[in-house]
Amino acid sequence: MIDIQHVSLLDLLPPNLRRDESVHAAALALDSELQVISARIRELSILDRLDILSNEEADELAWQFHIDFYDPNLPIEQKRELVKNAISWHKRKGTPSAVEELITALFGEGRVEEWFEYGGQPFRFQVITNNPEVTQARAQEFYRAVESVKRLSAKLERVIISQTENLSLYYGAVILVSEKISIK
């Protein structure tokens, strides 16, 4: 079987044309160019190269995929993650899972609780995240990102920043059992 990446025109020619010296020479002359072209073909598919996108390519794809909450100042890993998931998020826009995946991609771990899960007002939800950076500095970015993915009828009620710390906890206990006897 012929490997398409390393094919030679001589392999494709019928035997009668292979014996012709001018055709044989022309096929050999074109082989190196065909090798270069077949190597470059792999670069055409951008969707296959999402894990190795450059900053400029990620910015262009973010514009092309209409990522509303995209920030060109993000680290390249986050840009690639946003571009990689953009089509999936557009398909599932308005679902809690799309909001959760967006929060995870941009701000670390996070989850969405619907109003009926925590006893809130109807059509409201809250976001629980463990990222302490979701404060005043990045609050607008966080809000804009959530607004672009959530369903229009839902309102973000609050953002809860939850942190778990490993602390050294010391405790002690004393048990005193005694009887008092007075002798006079």
Side-chain angles (χ1 to χ4, degrees), residues 107 130-139 161:
F107 304 102
N130 64 356
N131 189 343
E133 293 179 15
V134 183
T135 55
Q136 294 295 64
R138 294 184 71 191
I161 299 174

Side-chain angles (χ1 to χ4, degrees), residues 83-103:
V83 169
K84 193 183 304 184
N85 292 317
I87 294 172
S88 170
W89 288 335
H90 278 298
K91 287 180 182 178
R92 295 180 298 117
K93 231 176 193 178
T95 64
S97 67
V99 176
E100 282 181 1
E101 286 181 19
L102 169 71
I103 292 167

Side-chain angles (χ1 to χ4, degrees), residues 57-89:
E57 289 172 325
D59 293 342
E60 283 296 319
L61 284 176
W63 175 81
Q64 182 178 344
F65 292 160
H66 303 286
I67 303 174
D68 305 324
F69 46 85
Y70 186 83
D71 182 7
N73 299 323
L74 288 173
I76 186 66
E77 295 81 22
Q78 282 185 331
K79 288 181 178 184
R80 290 174 182 155
E81 188 71 24
L82 292 174
V83 169
K84 193 183 304 184
N85 292 317
I87 294 172
S88 170
W89 288 335

Side-chain angles (χ1 to χ4, degrees), residues 14 17 27 34 48 63 82 84 87 99 109 132 156 168 176 184:
L17 288 178
L34 288 177
D48 290 336
W63 175 81
L82 292 174
K84 193 183 304 184
I87 294 172
V99 176
E109 188 177 322
L156 176 60
S168 299
L176 175 64
K184 292 190 182 187

Side-chain angles (χ1 to χ4, degrees), residues 32-50:
S32 61
E33 290 299 318
L34 288 177
Q35 296 292 329
V36 171
I37 289 172
S38 68
R40 301 278 318 262
I41 284 175
R42 288 185 222 132
E43 297 174 16
L44 290 177
S45 176
I46 291 176
L47 296 178
D48 290 336
R49 300 183 309 111
L50 290 177

